Amino acid sequence: AFASPLSTNEGSFTYSIIVDVTGQYEVELRHRSLFEQSNDAIFIVDLEGKYLQSNQRAAELLGYEFDELGLKTFQDIIVAEEYDDRNNVLERLLDGEHVPPYERTYRHKNGSTVVGEINAQLIRNYEGEPIYIQSIVRDITQRKQMELTAQAFLGDMKALQDVHLQLTGIQ
């Protein structure tokens, strides 16, 4: 509500403007609920790579306390070999390109690595200027480990088949 005195020929009055913000509050509540209840990690990152906001799942994924994560930058949590890839994604987003989901290896607080599948989007202000990146990260570490195990198994089976063929003289 906004109020101000108003003087007229007929006397002094107070005029008021009342704005109903119920809808805005409900939208904010839905947004916060989606943000916090997601099974995926959600990061809001500025254009220099500083984490502005993240959900609890993000802290759990990387092993940090919720408050610690806000003090980190991408250099702190992405393995060094992937720094250039991160800059490439930022450039592509800034150029207006839709970047399909991609993988990134994160460094957990305990030193281990976590593989994430990232869906990133550049968020712009009402004037169209880029203001931050929103990224949703799904932990695919187990899936990647299973893929490597399956590849190794197939390699072993191929080698076994080759040995079998050599021993039986069939080629």
Side-chain angles (χ1 to χ4, degrees), residues 53-96:
Q53 189 177 6
S54 59
N55 65 355
Q56 183 62 40
R57 178 64 185 123
E60 292 166 3
L61 178 72
L62 299 173
Y64 290 96
E65 294 297 323
F66 186 71
D67 295 339
E68 285 180 293
L69 198 53
L71 303 173
K72 303 294 177 191
T73 65
F74 79 92
Q75 291 100 336
D76 297 322
I77 65 170
I78 293 175
V79 296
E81 298 80 28
E82 297 184 14
Y83 288 174
D84 290 340
D85 291 343
R86 185 255 176 213
N87 291 330
N88 182 24
V89 169
L90 177 60
E91 288 172 18
R92 290 169 58 196
L93 289 169
L94 288 170
D95 286 343

Side-chain angles (χ1 to χ4, degrees), residues 2-18:
F2 304 94
S4 183
L6 177 66
S7 296
T8 68
N9 293 341
E10 298 172 6
S12 294
F13 298 94
T14 300
Y15 76 93
S16 299
I17 300 174
I18 300 171

